Amino acid sequence: RKFIVAIDGPAASGKSAVSETLAVRLGFLHVNSGAIYRCATLLAIRNDLLDLQFKKNLDRMREILKETKITMGPLGTSPIKNENVNRPSTAIFLNGENVTDQISKIEITKNVRFLAKIPEIRAASIEKQRELVQSKNLFETRADSKVDGVIVEGRDIGTAVFPNADIKFFIEAEAKARAKRRFDELVARGLNVDINGDPVDYEQILEDILQRDQEDLTRTHSPLRKAKDAIVIDTSNLSLDQVVGKVESSILK
Ligand code: C5P
């Protein structure tokens, strides 16, 4: 049986950075549920199925999701190029194709909500998350790690996907702090441009984050909520190292 760590929180709260760093440190598997919704969005765009109000489109989309293999694991070299954000990172593969950078782009980010609000798509995504949790750890497992663990991050992990997780965290930060971090990260990765190659600025990122907060909180099917038993960490004034330290010490307690 795997030891499950659930990390939830709003967009750009630092969940991925914390999960990626800790997964390597503890030799745990890392499952990024947001990346599954992003992959689904990329598939919808590629197959011209973004409008899922039509049952025909929704059925086709579910079929495509079922047929597609999504895997996550380390990439020899970090896809994050700037040394300011030099840390372990998880690469995302769609039928073996590395889509890590593609799914971080603003076009995907802006369109995820159309899929994330649909119960059938959430159910298919959750099925994939549960499969991934049982899959082999592609990160090098630490020889001294006695625990077979997995870190699952998202919005509804502690409340809906793994309500019986062994330990739960809720990571939050003020919207402006989140927008600043996300903007800096996109710049560092050279991803601060839209589909036309025009630069994306901080204001646009902030607007996107506020809109996603609204969508995440008001969705009828498994919205963003703090689990009653979650350890809440406000990271507005904390460095990544400080957050990682807090989460790690709670896990190892
Ligand atoms: O975490 P990330 O920003 O990559 O997630 C992308 C989008 O996927 C979010 O804006 C959210 O709407 C959706 N999502 C979700 N449930 C999750 C994880 C992500 O609805 N567990």
Side-chain angles (χ1 to χ4, degrees):
R1 199 186 87 76
K2 294 219 183 175
F3 181 89
I4 299 181
V5 180
I7 303 189
D8 288 304
S13 53
K15 302 180 302 287
S16 297
V18 171
S19 305
E20 291 172 348
T21 307
L22 263 184
V24 172
R25 234 195 242 185
L26 300 171
F28 284 12
L29 181 71
H30 171 216
V31 175
N32 178 340
S33 66
I36 298 178
Y37 291 97
R38 287 171 181 272
C39 282
T41 308
L42 179 60
L43 287 167
I45 292 174
R46 283 183 178 175
N47 291 283
D48 204 9
L49 293 170
L50 209 48
D51 191 347
L52 297 180
Q53 283 174 21
F54 301 106
K55 190 175 175 307
K56 202 176 74 190
N57 283 1
L58 180 57
D59 288 347
R60 179 74 193 115
M61 195 55 225
R62 289 168 70 187
E63 251 172 54
I64 291 173
L65 266 181
K66 222 182 165 125
E67 290 162 3
T68 308
K69 192 146 184 65
I70 299 174
T71 46
M72 301 181 187
L75 189 71
T77 53
S78 161
I80 297 179
K81 293 168 197 90
N82 187 296
E83 61 183 15
N84 295 328
V85 280
N86 199 5
R87 54 169 172 81
S89 55
T90 301
I92 315 295
F93 302 90
L94 206 60
N95 285 332
E97 173 194 358
N98 182 0
V99 293
T100 316
D101 277 354
Q102 265 190 71
I103 60 167
S104 300
K105 288 192 176 152
I106 198 90
E107 281 72 35
I108 299 291
T109 310
K110 278 190 179 312
N111 286 305
V112 179
R113 60 198 170 99
F114 298 118
L115 286 95
K117 69 177 180 199
I118 297 174
E120 288 88 347
I121 298 290
R122 297 199 72 80
S125 159
I126 289 176
E127 201 175 306
K128 288 223 183 282
Q129 292 164 43
R130 297 208 167 114
E131 263 170 44
L132 276 169
V133 161
Q134 295 309 328
S135 70
K136 190 169 159 286
N137 189 356
L138 298 175
F139 282 105
E140 198 167 319
T141 306
R142 265 175 38 174
D144 61 343
S145 177
K146 291 179 197 74
V147 184
D148 184 13
V150 55
I151 300 176
V152 194
E153 57 148 313
R155 304 288 189 288
D156 56 349
I157 308 304
T159 50
V161 186
F162 292 108
N164 298 320
D166 295 275
I167 186 161
K168 300 176 187 176
F169 297 91
F170 192 89
I171 299 197
E172 56 189 2
E174 289 154 19
K176 283 186 177 163
R178 289 185 278 133
K180 168 103 180 50
R181 282 186 208 149
R182 176 53 50 90
F183 178 67
D184 289 346
E185 185 202 322
L186 289 175
V187 170
R189 294 172 69 182
L191 297 175
N192 57 321
V193 284
D194 66 17
I195 209 161
N196 304 313
D198 294 327
V200 175
D201 61 19
Y202 162 82
E203 292 299 331
Q204 277 170 275
I205 303 289
L206 177 61
E207 196 183 305
D208 167 71
I209 282 179
L210 293 174
Q211 178 168 37
R212 288 205 285 152
D213 283 357
Q214 181 67 15
E215 298 274 346
D216 281 335
L217 291 166
T218 55
R219 180 167 62 227
T220 46
H221 202 77
S222 67
L224 174 66
R225 291 278 183 275
K226 282 181 190 131
K228 280 194 197 71
D229 48 350
I231 300 167
V232 179
I233 304 177
D234 187 319
T235 71
S236 302
N237 299 306
L238 298 177
S239 69
L240 175 60
D241 273 353
Q242 287 173 315
V243 184
V244 168
K246 274 179 189 279
V247 173
E248 185 177 29
S249 61
S250 301
I251 293 174
L252 299 178
K253 221 185 253 167

